Amino acid sequence: MPAATWSSAKAKVQLRLSVQRLRTLQQKKEAQAKSSRRDIAVLLERGKLESARVKAEAIINEDINLELLELLELYCELLIARFGLLDQSTREPDPGVSEGVCAIIYSATRTEIKELQLLRELLMHKYGRDFSIAVMENRGRCVSDRVMKKLSVGAPSPELVEAYLTEIAKGYGVKWTPRTFTAETEVPESGPSKDATPEAPSRGPSEPLPAYSEQGGKPGAPKLPDIPPTEGENEKRTQSIPSIPKDGPEDDFDVLTRRFHALKKH
């Protein structure tokens, strides 16, 4: 249940109790992790790789939770050292203790430490409902990124699992070869470069050559314009061309004779 009022004495007591409980829980989890590593080494030695990987994932998650407990312990010690700033009558925490206050309000319920959860209720009562809701929604990223990463839920990557197994096998002297992860990079099909000179199309042996044209050398070639001859060439052309005699005027006799022959036909 939330505390009725803010009490400096209660807050100090809960801070010290939280530090003690956090340290005790860390020691307990470290002992459990050591036993789990020994079990994984036995599984690797027996060749039960899939079971070893499943246990390694559990150890990784426990290590992340252990790091969260270490962070919360540091925040509690910080609030004890700066308790004068924490005990001020302000609607929002002082910047010197704001990070620790937000971290405890946001993550205390995700731990199994009752003393820390009671400290959270005291802090929420001191700073009010609006501030507490803003912290729980992480508005303005008031909660430290380190805390958010420790609380993020997700399966560890295969590379991290193999790294854990490698260290465990090395620590217990187990001969084991980890899987290798090679990034297969697809080589893109390289098209012609912009500066490349296009090659002439190859001609097959059976393909005939284009016929030669006297007018342009090649079919479809543009016709050259006629060039006017020079003066010397004009004189030569005039001399070489035979003169055509012009008909002179017909005399009257010839005209009458032609008419006479025409009348005979009728």
Side-chain angles (χ1 to χ4, degrees), residues 25-53:
L25 186 58
Q26 290 176 53
Q27 294 173 358
K28 179 181 178 181
K29 288 185 175 296
E30 287 174 356
Q32 292 175 351
K34 185 176 181 180
S35 176
S36 298
R37 289 187 178 90
R38 189 181 298 109
D39 295 339
I40 291 175
V42 173
L43 292 173
L44 290 176
E45 190 175 10
R46 294 178 180 177
K48 298 181 179 181
L49 302 182
E50 294 303 323
S51 299
R53 290 190 177 97

Side-chain angles (χ1 to χ4, degrees), residues 225-237:
D226 296 333
I227 302 176
T230 59
E231 295 181 357
E233 292 178 353
N234 195 8
E235 293 177 0
K236 291 180 181 179
R237 288 186 179 183

